[in-house]
Amino acid sequence: MSLKCRFCGKQAVERLRQYRLSLCRECYVKFYERQVERTLKKYRVVKPGEKVLACISGGKDSSAMLTVMSKLSRTLNFELEALFIDLNIKNYSEKSFNLVKKLCRNLDVNLNIVKTVDYGVDLNRVQRRKVCSACGTVKRYVMNRFARENGFDCVATGHTSDDIVAFFFKNWLSGNLRWSTKFLPRTDGFDKVVTKIRPLYLLSERENALYCICKGLPFMSENCPHAPERDEWKDIIYEIERKKPGFRRSFVTNLIRYLTLTFEDIQEYKYCKLCGEVTTSDICAFCKLRERKNSLV
Ligand code: SF4
Ligand code: ZN
C-alpha cells in the first residue's frame, strides 16, 4: 500500500518514524526548512545583520545547510558567503570543488576558496593513520582565521544531531568534559576565536540526504578515501534510533537544556505551604501523599 502525504494527500516519499509523518517531496522540503528555521529562531543561532561564513565540503550535510541558509538569509536578514577548503586529496578534492562551485552558482552565493597548501600544510605528506586528525585541526584553524581576517561574524558548519550525539559519547567516555560546553547550536566567540554556529543541530544525516535528493541538489555521494570504513558510534546511534525513533533529537534537545542550566535553575526550591519543609513545588510530595491518604480514609 503506497503511503499518502499527511499534508496534501499526494504520494509520500518517506515515512518519518520519529515524527509519525509521511510526506511527499514538496511537503518534505517545506517541513525540513521549517525545522531549520525553528532551530535558528529558538536558539538565537544567528542575529540579524550578521555576516555568516558557511563552510562547505560538497557532502550532503553542508550542501543542505548552505541551501537552507541561503533561503533563510533573506527572511532572517543575515549575510551569507561560502568557504571551500581545498585539502588537496587526490581523486576527491577536485570532484568536491566542482560540486560546490555548481551549488554556489545555483544559489548565487559568493564562494571563497582556501588551499591548505597555501597555509603550508599538505595532507598528502601526513602519515596515513594521522590524516583525519590533522585534517580536523587544519579545517578548524583555516575556517576561524579566514573568517576573522575577512570580517565574518560567525562560521556555520554542517554538524548534525548524529555528530553531536557521537561527539558527546566519545568525549564523555574519554573524560573530556570541557568539550561539552562548546557543543551548542551557537557558541559565542572570544578574543581571536570567531562564533561558531550549527544550523543543522537538530537534523539527522538521513534527513539532510533526503532534503538534497528532494531538491535535486548536487552533492558528493562518495566518501573521502581517508574516511574510516565504519564509525562504530554512528552505528550504535542508528541502532538506538531504529529501536527508539526520535532518540537523537530528544538527546540533543535535552543536551542544550542541560548545558545551559544555571546554578539557580538547579538550586531552585521553595517551602511547602502546608508543613514548611523544602520542596520544588508549592506543596511537598509528602503533604500531597498525606492529603490523598486522608481523602481516602
Ligand atoms: Fe578529512 Fe578524514 Fe574527513 Fe577525509 S575523512 S575529509 S581526511 S577528516
Ligand atoms: Zn504533500
Side-chain angles (χ1 to χ4, degrees):
M1 195 183 71
S2 74
L3 289 169
K4 296 259 185 282
C5 171
R6 164 89 71 85
F7 297 152
C8 75
K10 275 197 236 158
Q11 188 173 345
V13 281
E14 179 85 349
R15 165 133 184 86
L16 304 163
R17 286 180 66 216
Q18 71 180 96
Y19 309 103
R20 297 196 182 132
L21 260 185
S22 299
L23 295 178
C24 72
R25 190 177 287 258
E26 291 81 19
C27 292
Y28 177 74
V29 166
K30 285 188 208 143
F31 176 81
Y32 176 94
E33 290 173 348
R34 244 189 345 260
Q35 297 294 318
V36 182
E37 184 175 1
R38 275 194 201 144
T39 310
L40 297 195
K41 286 182 174 165
K42 182 167 181 191
Y43 300 109
R44 297 192 177 87
V45 174
V46 58
K47 297 175 186 164
E50 280 190 326
K51 201 173 159 195
V52 178
L53 181 67
C55 292
I56 51 171
S57 63
K60 59 187 182 329
D61 302 319
S62 59
S63 297
M65 188 267 289
L66 184 72
T67 305
V68 68
M69 288 294 275
S70 128
K71 185 162 184 203
L72 293 173
S73 66
R74 282 170 240 137
T75 48
L76 301 180
N77 295 318
F78 58 89
E79 283 181 53
L80 181 72
E81 289 192 25
L83 171 68
F84 176 76
I85 301 176
D86 184 345
L87 302 163
N88 196 27
I89 296 173
K90 277 194 203 87
N91 300 323
Y92 184 72
S93 294
E94 204 181 323
K95 280 188 212 161
S96 310
F97 178 53
N98 288 333
L99 287 166
V100 159
K101 252 196 317 196
K102 197 169 160 197
L103 181 67
C104 289
R105 206 180 314 121
N106 293 349
L107 297 171
D108 197 21
V109 169
N110 186 43
L111 173 61
N112 300 277
I113 302 136
V114 169
K115 291 177 186 287
T116 55
V117 284
D118 293 344
Y119 275 76
V121 177
D122 185 356
L123 289 180
N124 295 307
R125 302 177 69 170
V126 174
Q127 266 180 31
R128 208 178 152 74
R129 62 187 181 84
K130 293 189 178 159
V131 172
C132 287
S133 148
C135 178
T137 305
V138 170
K139 283 191 283 198
R140 281 191 294 275
Y141 181 90
V142 170
M143 62 174 94
N144 186 67
R145 192 160 161 190
F146 182 89
R148 192 186 68 242
E149 290 177 349
N150 291 280
F152 288 91
D153 300 296
C154 34
V155 168
T157 52
H159 287 107
T160 65
S161 56
D162 308 70
D163 296 322
I164 309 292
V165 179
F167 287 154
F168 179 85
F169 280 125
K170 286 179 199 169
N171 283 277
W172 185 267
L173 295 174
S174 66
N176 180 13
L177 305 186
R178 285 179 70 193
W179 165 88
S180 57
T181 55
K182 286 188 192 165
F183 245 83
L184 289 166
R186 177 183 174 109
T187 314
D188 281 320
F190 59 94
D191 199 357
K192 290 187 154 190
V193 178
V194 178
T195 296
K196 306 292 179 314
I197 62 171
R198 303 162 187 101
L200 307 184
Y201 193 94
L202 295 183
L203 281 304
S204 67
E205 289 178 6
R206 191 181 160 88
E207 289 170 285
N208 299 335
L210 188 61
Y211 179 71
C212 290
I213 293 165
C214 289
K215 289 273 290 181
L217 301 179
F219 72 92
M220 268 301 260
S221 45
E222 39 188 296
N223 285 334
C224 168
H226 297 291
E229 262 174 37
R230 299 186 71 95
D231 182 329
E232 286 186 338
W233 275 111
K234 293 256 172 99
D235 289 348
I236 293 168
I237 293 162
Y238 297 147
E239 193 54 25
I240 303 177
E241 183 71 32
R242 200 175 61 75
K243 291 188 175 156
K244 295 274 174 208
F247 154 76
R248 269 177 306 221
R249 198 180 170 93
S250 305
F251 192 102
V252 294
T253 309
N254 288 318
L255 182 63
I256 299 173
R257 290 180 62 199
Y258 178 68
L259 294 176
T260 51
L261 270 181
T262 60
F263 188 66
E264 287 71 30
D265 291 329
I266 302 168
Q267 292 295 305
E268 193 179 300
Y269 64 87
K270 303 172 180 175
Y271 298 104
C272 174
K273 284 187 174 154
L274 297 179
C275 70
E277 289 297 315
V278 168
T279 174
T280 51
S281 53
D282 289 339
I283 313 275
C284 76
F286 179 82
C287 285
K288 278 184 197 155
L289 180 80
R290 195 175 48 191
E291 291 291 294
R292 244 193 340 263
K293 270 248 169 208
N294 286 343
S295 63
L296 290 176
V297 175

